[in-house]
């Protein structure tokens, strides 16, 4: 947990006055072997420059807002990718920008808490195994077009998850099957 988390892309430097946990390429290399990485910010999670995160296992990111300085964010998670606001950080209002957020994971989970984007102009996520909403939360995409590719999209047991956009929300079905661990949730949904 940190008051602020900043990812530095290739060639990007931390602006003066940057505080909190700053993650550059060396730190990302250290995290590559972990079975699961969870990063929780009590404020925003900043992506500065062109950020590429490539982990073989689970990655959970939690913040009041996911913010770009106009660069691209490309996240690859071999396991689950969780996006949430577990600590209840203030999330302010959406602000469009030119950054692009792209994620590819085995499963993409939109978790508890209210969160959203700042400084992005597009959001795309693809899940090889599926996507689900977990807990009570709201992910605010503002006016962005949101593109989701997944074989299934579920609300987890007891979930009340909202994906909010005034732009287009495109959900494209991809080949895949619902895993046995999720079959019980279908009967309860």
């Amino acid at each position: 947990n940190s008051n602020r988390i900043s990812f530095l892309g290739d060639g990007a430097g931390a602006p003066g006055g940057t505080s909190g946990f700053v993650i550059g390429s060396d730190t990302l290399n250290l995290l590559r072997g972990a079975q699961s990485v969870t990063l929780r910010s009590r404020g925003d999670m900043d992506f500065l420059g062109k950020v590429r995160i490539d982990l073989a296992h689970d990655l959970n990111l939690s913040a009041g807002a996911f913010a770009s300085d106009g660069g691209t964010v490309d996240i690859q998670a071999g396991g689950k990718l969780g996006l949430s606001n577990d600590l209840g950080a203030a999330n302010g209002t959406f602000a469009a920008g030119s950054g692009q957020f792209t994620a590819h994971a085995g499963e993409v989970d939109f978790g508890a808490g209210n969160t959203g984007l700042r400084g992005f102009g597009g959001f795309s996520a693809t899940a090889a195994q599926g996507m689900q909403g977990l807990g009570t939360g709201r992910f605010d995409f503002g006016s962005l077009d949101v593109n989701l590719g997944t074989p299934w999209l579920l609300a987890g047991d007891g979930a009340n998850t909202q994906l909010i956009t005034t732009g287009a929300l495109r959900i494209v079905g991809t080949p895949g099957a619902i895993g046995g661990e999720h079959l019980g949730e279908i009967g309860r949904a």
Side-chain angles (χ1 to χ4, degrees), residues 64-126:
F66 300 95
S68 171
D69 67 349
T72 59
V73 176
D74 181 11
I75 298 175
Q76 307 277 331
K80 294 179 183 180
L81 170 63
L83 300 171
S84 64
N85 184 2
D86 297 334
L87 300 178
N91 62 344
T93 58
F94 168 81
S98 59
Q100 295 296 313
F101 191 110
T102 304
H104 303 276
E107 180 174 312
V108 176
D109 297 333
F110 295 96
N114 296 336
T115 190
L117 299 177
R118 256 192 237 123
F120 288 99
F123 181 95
S124 297
T126 304

Side-chain angles (χ1 to χ4, degrees), residues 59-60 80-86 107-115 130-139 152-163 181-182 185:
L59 174 62
N60 296 294
K80 294 179 183 180
L81 170 63
L83 300 171
S84 64
N85 184 2
D86 297 334
E107 180 174 312
V108 176
D109 297 333
F110 295 96
N114 296 336
T115 190
M131 292 184 182
Q132 67 177 326
L134 299 172
T136 298
R138 171 187 169 113
F139 200 109
W152 50 263
L153 178 62
L154 292 175
D157 192 22
N160 180 5
T161 305
Q162 299 175 33
L163 304 178
E181 70 274 14
H182 298 295
E185 295 173 14

Side-chain angles (χ1 to χ4, degrees), residues 2-148:
S2 178
N3 286 333
R4 180 176 218 103
I5 297 174
S6 300
F7 286 91
L8 299 181
D10 293 335
T18 299
S19 62
F21 186 37
V22 178
I23 302 170
S25 59
D26 291 342
T27 304
L28 281 174
N29 284 334
L30 292 173
L31 299 175
R32 276 189 175 64
Q35 291 294 313
S36 179
V37 175
T38 298
L39 300 169
R40 292 185 185 105
S41 176
R42 292 181 193 91
D44 289 352
M45 187 169 292
D46 298 323
F47 298 92
L48 307 173
K50 183 178 179 182
V51 176
R52 178 164 170 76
I53 302 169
D54 190 354
L55 301 176
H57 302 289
D58 295 349
L59 174 62
N60 296 294
L61 301 176
S62 172
F66 300 95
S68 171
D69 67 349
T72 59
V73 176
D74 181 11
I75 298 175
Q76 307 277 331
K80 294 179 183 180
L81 170 63
L83 300 171
S84 64
N85 184 2
D86 297 334
L87 300 178
N91 62 344
T93 58
F94 168 81
S98 59
Q100 295 296 313
F101 191 110
T102 304
H104 303 276
E107 180 174 312
V108 176
D109 297 333
F110 295 96
N114 296 336
T115 190
L117 299 177
R118 256 192 237 123
F120 288 99
F123 181 95
S124 297
T126 304
Q129 298 163 350
M131 292 184 182
Q132 67 177 326
L134 299 172
T136 298
R138 171 187 169 113
F139 200 109
D140 186 355
F141 297 97
S143 60
L144 298 186
D145 289 347
V146 177
N147 297 292
L148 305 176

